[in-house]
Amino acid sequence: MATVVENDAALRRDRYVLTANSGALLVNYALVLVFVWFGVLKFTQYEAAGIAPLVMNSPLVGWWHQLFGIAGTSRMLGVYEILTGVLIALRPFNPRLAAIGGAMATITFAITLTFMLSTPGVVQPGFDTPLALSSNPGQFLLKDVVLLAASISVLLGARAEMRTR
């Protein structure tokens, strides 16, 4: 027979698991929203023009513009982002596909964070420190640190689920 202390510990453990699972679910579907929404926007002219300076100045992916053009690069990224969001959304049904989506998301934000080093205007003009980020593109890119962490969390969580099924 379980004691009151054991029941209390079990209840606290169950609450912790429920809270952790709820948080993981929120992060998972927040990433789905970001990827699908941004992916759809990549098919608009204003978004293609908006990402052009980031991509063009990148030593990693700058060649995409030469190969696909500005609109083609944006559409290619749109397809990639929508696919990433769909794969992550499938986590309750297929954690293996969600892990692939998590890996794609991780790659996305690892690349976009390199734009902080290659894009002109990241540091606010007139400041001698890299901590003085401009609002755009500096602070705009800095949010990708959180999105990278969320992507890694989704990847690791989906992989853990693969092992338990």
Side-chain angles (χ1 to χ4, degrees), residues 30-158:
L31 270 181
V32 169
L33 177 66
V34 166
F35 272 103
V36 172
W37 195 326
F38 284 5
V40 169
L41 287 176
K42 295 293 190 291
F43 290 88
T44 66
Q45 192 281 327
Y46 87 90
E47 180 69 9
I51 66 168
L54 300 170
V55 174
M56 282 182 191
N57 288 295
S58 171
L60 293 176
V61 297
W63 56 273
W64 289 349
H65 277 191
Q66 295 163 344
L67 190 61
F68 304 117
I70 291 172
T73 295
S74 189
R75 286 191 296 266
M76 179 210 42
L77 288 171
V79 169
Y80 180 90
E81 290 176 355
I82 292 168
L83 177 60
T84 300
V86 167
L87 290 173
I88 293 170
L90 294 174
R91 184 171 176 179
F93 312 103
N94 192 328
R96 184 175 306 276
L97 291 178
I100 293 169
M104 292 169 67
T106 299
I107 291 166
T108 298
F109 294 116
I111 290 172
T112 60
L113 283 170
T114 68
F115 296 165
M116 291 190 75
L117 303 173
S118 61
T119 305
V122 169
V123 175
Q124 186 66 30
F127 287 86
D128 294 333
T129 173
L131 299 177
L133 295 176
S134 63
S135 61
N136 192 13
Q139 293 174 28
F140 168 77
L141 290 170
L142 186 62
K143 64 150 175 33
D144 289 356
V145 171
V146 174
L147 291 168
L148 175 61
S151 299
I152 293 168
S153 176
V154 166
L155 170 60
L156 296 176

Side-chain angles (χ1 to χ4, degrees), residues 24 28 91-95 98 156-165:
N28 194 83
R91 184 171 176 179
F93 312 103
N94 192 328
L156 296 176
R159 289 193 51 165
E161 285 179 36
M162 287 170 40
R163 288 190 291 272
T164 61
R165 286 191 181 189

